Amino acid sequence: MVRAFSLDLLAASLTAVLLVAACAGCAGTEDGEEAVAAYRNLDPDVAYVGREACRSCHPDKYETFVEAQMGRSIKPAHPDESAARFDGVDPVYDEALDLYYRPERWGDDLFVVEYRLADGDTTHKRTEQIDFIVGSGQHTNSHIMSVNGYLYQMPLTWYAQDGKWDLPPGFDGGNNSRFDRPIPEACMTCHNAMPGFVDGSENQFSHVPAGIDCERCHGPGALHVEEKEAGMIVDTSVHVDRSIVNPARLPLDRQFDVCQRCHMQGATVYAPGMGPGDFRPGMDLSDVLNVFWPRYADSTQQFIMASHPDRMRMSACFTGSHEEGASFEPMTCTTCHDPHVPIEALGSDHYRDVCQSCHEPEELHADGVDAMAAGACTEEIVLREEVGDDCVQCHMPVSGSTDIPHVRVTDHFIRVVDTTGSVNDADVDAAKRLIGLASLIDDAPTPRERAEGFMTYFEEVQNRPDFLDSAAVLVDRAVEEQGPTAVAPSLVRLHHLQRDFDATVRLSREIAMAEIDEPWTHYRVGEAYQTVGNVQEAIVYFEEAVRRSPAHLRFLNKLGSAYTEARRLDEALEVFDRVLNANPKYAEARNNRGFVHILQQDFEAAEADFLEAIRLDPDAEIAFANLASLYFNTNRREEARPYARRLVEEHPDDPNYQRLWELVR
């Protein structure tokens, strides 16, 4: 099943939406759950229609929004859409993998070239076309390739602030996944409008919209468009148009949730039955997901790229404006930001003017002495002049994030920044001391949610063994409260990350696994059975995972390997054909199918698959071994020799490779 279709909408309510100074006045004009629930486009059956559907009624908002940062968040690859430099640039070298990367432009097409050199000769070269550019270019341009709708991140990113190419975040230090990092629904639903995610896949999409659109903040628009085209017009100066959400009319916490959905980054844990595409503006975000992130002894100095709501909540400007009896309108994201307008169009005085709408500006006398007004700046004139009398420069300093290199972002923790005094190594070490894992959306997460937060952080961010220890304690507590069957997915995931496969097998025999409607759980149980040597039972679980996710290529590849191990060769071949028809660039599946061909005595087909696996992945060790063995066993020792030589050079302690080398040299 394919979720969503086109992707464009908006209408009558846009005129009243978030404008910087005006928004604060209209914010929170509704209270209570009944008012929010009355928005009819919260119904899951209301479809997304795309931003072009909004254009005819809201041309002013449309024209500025498509030029704004969110409107330019992703686009089909074309030189005119790229902020990057493609000509005369030095290649990026990945020292860990000994691979070079070079961006290239051929006419209107953009490419990433991967190559390896040995003594000045090119020993490997792979060229892949860029299909999508991700990012407005204010901070970065990252790149995606599409293989029959399966999306993968490419190993080269343009960092606009430093004007340089480098590996993407998370690809350095030997973690370069090259052209094989899947782009799942969770990534696409924040970096873009609602995409056409193919249910039952990991990273396949029926269509990819061109940028975040109106519906990400206003909700799906099919109902709204249908009613307007039918002449059902609402005078929004008098009445609320319930066919679409106007975020400015939502209660403050619901307004905040619209922004937090994508601007609160961390280890995301979805509520049972919920997924990345289920949140709609007006919903309580905690009903859909929670976000966890570590707190350190000095978290004021450590933050990540998309942590703006978390940082803003630390600010006295925010907390003070939300106190009962506050003299100012409650602060929200749109107090300072108008998402319909490009940042470049706001003017150099925009943010200072917003600050001074609450903090009264003073009058400066000719002698430079301040005549202070309430809340006015007390800094010396010379220092103010150095930063252009810009409040943000001092109170929201630009800083590097801890998760993305070569990027500097405005810190949304508004404060008086202490720039004096020295910091010694002991202070730095103390500041890095971990306090715990904070829950950023829901103040009262369940033990299971907290356990999932620890495991997600371990799996996606940093392999901290102590996080698995914490997860184990919380999972045990969840089992006491809910029982083992209800908590089985978390138990299985924990055992999988601990590599305790025997525990997974025992659990699968103690509970009713058929009641678990979660394909990753069945996949992990299958891996446990295969690891302990019970391939027949592994097949049962891999088949169940594939039944629930029939377009998930990793599940299919694992099922094919289990069929091969069980010598169910025709079934294995059918599965690998299915994988490679979907993605012919899946190197591991190429090697696996080649091995099936060997077992079926089809040596020509096996050779072709092994060679293609090596062309795709110059470090495909198993494909090298299989090809060398194939050549040796078909009396082609000279052709086997270079592959066997490389195996013993890179794995000198492997007795099988040593024996193969002795046989062929």
Side-chain angles (χ1 to χ4, degrees):
M1 172 183 174
V2 176
R3 183 177 300 159
F5 45 85
S6 177
L7 181 20
D8 295 299
L9 135 35
L10 198 48
S13 61
L14 256 177
T15 53
V17 179
L18 354 118
L19 247 168
V20 177
C23 180
C26 63
T29 56
E30 291 193 3
D31 291 311
E33 295 295 329
E34 291 184 6
V36 175
Y39 283 107
R40 288 175 284 120
N41 70 332
L42 289 175
D43 189 316
D45 291 332
V46 178
Y48 292 89
V49 294
R51 69 189 185 191
E52 290 302 319
C54 313
R55 188 174 190 174
S56 60
C57 294
H58 305 278
D60 53 338
K61 292 292 189 291
Y62 175 91
E63 296 300 337
T64 58
F65 181 78
V66 295
E67 296 299 324
Q69 276 64 29
M70 288 198 296
R72 295 184 282 122
S73 61
I74 189 169
K75 48 264 179 182
H78 188 279
D80 293 344
E81 300 290 352
S82 176
R85 189 169 64 248
F86 279 81
D87 300 322
V89 297
D90 294 329
V92 172
Y93 180 57
D94 182 351
E95 184 176 3
L97 269 63
D98 186 27
L99 289 170
Y100 291 88
Y101 293 96
R102 183 177 67 243
E104 290 192 0
R105 170 182 173 177
W106 306 346
D108 288 340
D109 295 326
L110 306 176
F111 299 85
V112 172
V113 180
E114 173 189 81
Y115 61 98
R116 176 174 288 161
L117 301 176
D119 299 325
D121 293 329
T122 302
T123 60
H124 161 75
K125 185 176 182 180
R126 178 177 175 181
T127 301
E128 296 292 352
Q129 185 165 358
I130 300 170
D131 291 297
F132 298 100
I133 298 170
V134 182
S136 67
Q138 181 183 4
H139 294 113
T140 64
N141 275 168
S142 289
H143 304 91
I144 291 175
M145 75 174 191
S146 175
V147 185
N148 295 325
Y150 287 90
L151 302 187
Y152 300 89
Q153 185 173 1
M154 305 181 82
L156 205 54
T157 289
W158 171 257
Y159 294 93
Q161 290 165 305
D162 285 352
K164 65 182 293 185
W165 290 93
D166 205 345
L167 296 172
F171 276 59
D172 59 348
N175 296 314
N176 183 356
S177 49
R178 303 174 56 249
F179 301 96
D180 297 328
R181 181 180 181 182
I183 300 293
E185 184 185 15
C187 294
M188 191 59 67
T189 50
C190 272
H191 285 281
N192 206 352
M194 197 62 71
F197 178 67
V198 177
D199 285 340
S201 77
E202 180 179 22
N203 61 319
Q204 189 181 22
F205 298 84
S206 62
H207 73 275
V208 178
I212 293 169
D213 71 355
C214 317
E215 290 170 301
R216 294 320 309 276
C217 297
H218 294 269
L223 176 66
H224 183 70
V225 171
E226 178 184 338
E227 292 188 357
K228 301 317 136 190
E229 290 179 344
M232 299 169 63
I233 307 301
V234 177
D235 183 354
T236 55
S237 67
V238 179
H239 304 287
V240 178
D241 186 344
R242 299 292 181 186
S243 68
I244 196 163
V245 169
N246 179 348
R249 298 192 64 89
L250 294 173
L252 289 172
D253 56 348
R254 294 290 190 274
Q255 288 186 40
F256 214 49
D257 280 347
V258 173
C259 302
Q260 284 189 127
R261 169 62 188 95
C262 291
H263 287 273
M264 185 73 89
Q265 184 182 350
T268 299
V269 175
Y270 294 97
M274 291 291 183
D278 289 321
F279 174 77
R280 297 186 172 205
M283 295 175 66
D284 185 335
L285 185 59
S286 66
D287 288 340
V288 179
L289 59 84
N290 202 352
V291 176
F292 295 88
W293 197 250
R295 286 283 189 254
Y296 297 93
D298 184 9
S299 282
T300 62
Q301 301 302 321
Q302 300 187 52
F303 63 96
I304 54 180
M305 181 74 173
S307 58
H308 311 104
D310 184 35
R311 302 293 289 177
M312 188 167 74
R313 281 203 189 103
M314 299 179 183
S315 310
C317 288
F318 179 85
T319 57
S321 72
H322 285 261
E323 291 176 353
E324 186 175 352
S327 58
F328 302 108
E329 292 290 344
M331 186 177 186
T332 71
C333 303
T334 52
T335 300
C336 300
H337 297 289
D338 180 358
H340 301 108
V341 179
I343 291 174
E344 301 85 352
L346 293 176
S348 58
D349 296 336
H350 167 74
Y351 295 109
R352 182 187 63 188
D353 291 344
V354 174
C355 294
Q356 292 183 351
S357 67
C358 295
H359 302 275
E360 298 177 15
E362 70 284 12
E363 296 178 0
L364 300 180
H365 292 281
D367 60 2
V369 178
D370 286 344
M372 297 303 298
C377 182
T378 59
E379 188 52 86
E380 296 179 6
I381 297 300
V382 63
L383 295 178
R384 291 172 57 181
E385 289 177 346
E386 286 181 3
V387 297
D389 205 22
D390 185 356
C391 314
V392 171
Q393 295 296 317
C394 292
H395 297 284
M396 301 176 68
V398 172
S399 177
S401 65
T402 59
D403 59 330
I404 301 181
H406 314 303
V407 164
R408 294 169 295 283
V409 296
T410 299
D411 184 359
H412 281 58
F413 178 19
I414 309 166
R415 65 196 187 280
V416 176
V417 180
D418 183 9
T419 59
T420 64
S422 60
V423 180
N424 58 40
D425 291 341
D427 293 332
V428 172
D429 291 340
K432 292 180 178 179
R433 179 174 55 83
L434 177 68
I435 295 176
L437 198 66
S439 175
L440 304 183
I441 303 296
D442 188 347
D443 292 335
T446 66
R448 181 179 176 182
E449 288 173 332
R450 292 175 60 200
E452 289 287 340
F454 277 110
M455 290 188 284
T456 298
Y457 187 91
F458 176 89
E459 200 166 22
E460 297 181 358
V461 184
Q462 185 181 16
N463 300 137
R464 292 183 59 116
D466 56 321
F467 272 30
L468 291 187
D469 296 338
S470 298
V473 172
L474 291 163
V475 167
D476 287 344
R477 193 177 304 166
V479 169
E480 292 176 5
E481 294 178 359
Q482 300 176 260
T485 300
V487 188
S490 298
L491 277 167
V492 169
R493 185 183 187 190
L494 176 64
H495 296 326
H496 178 81
L497 294 175
Q498 293 173 325
R499 303 193 64 78
D500 190 348
F501 302 112
D502 290 329
T504 302
V505 168
R506 286 195 302 271
L507 178 66
S508 72
R509 292 170 176 163
E510 294 169 358
I511 65 173
M513 291 299 299
E515 297 179 12
I516 310 301
D517 187 24
E518 207 287 304
W520 271 105
T521 300
H522 294 276
Y523 174 81
R524 290 169 179 142
V525 174
E527 280 210 319
Y529 274 106
Q530 189 172 30
T531 303
V532 300
N534 188 340
V535 68
Q536 300 299 339
E537 197 70 24
I539 288 173
V540 172
Y541 285 96
F542 289 143
E543 287 178 335
E544 185 62 23
V546 168
R547 186 184 71 80
R548 295 170 185 270
S549 295
H552 198 301
L553 300 188
R554 282 201 280 178
F555 290 179
L556 284 163
N557 184 56
K558 185 63 74 168
L559 174 61
S561 70
Y563 280 151
T564 304
E565 188 176 346
R567 293 303 188 263
R568 295 165 60 173
L569 301 183
D570 290 341
E571 292 168 283
L573 187 60
E574 181 181 352
V575 169
F576 290 131
D577 284 346
R578 183 172 159 188
V579 172
L580 292 169
N581 285 335
N583 179 7
K585 299 177 182 181
Y586 197 151
E588 184 179 339
R590 282 276 178 189
N591 171 73
N592 290 344
R593 189 175 71 173
F595 188 68
V596 174
H597 285 312
I598 281 184
L599 296 176
Q600 293 181 324
Q601 304 292 302
D602 188 347
F603 300 134
E604 183 177 349
E607 179 184 5
D609 272 339
F610 294 146
L611 287 171
E612 179 62 8
I614 291 169
R615 187 193 71 79
L616 292 167
D617 181 1
D619 299 312
E621 175 190 345
I622 305 303
F624 272 83
N626 284 336
L627 186 59
S629 179
L630 170 65
Y631 284 151
F632 170 73
N633 285 292
T634 54
N635 298 315
R636 298 161 67 181
R637 296 191 180 196
E638 186 173 345
E639 292 172 84
R641 207 164 291 143
Y643 298 101
R645 180 186 298 114
R646 175 169 170 179
L647 288 168
V648 296
E649 289 174 352
E650 295 185 357
H651 308 278
D653 297 327
D654 190 306
N656 293 318
Y657 296 159
Q658 288 289 348
R659 174 162 173 73
L660 178 62
W661 174 239
E662 292 295 331
L663 290 171
V664 304
R665 73 175 181 175

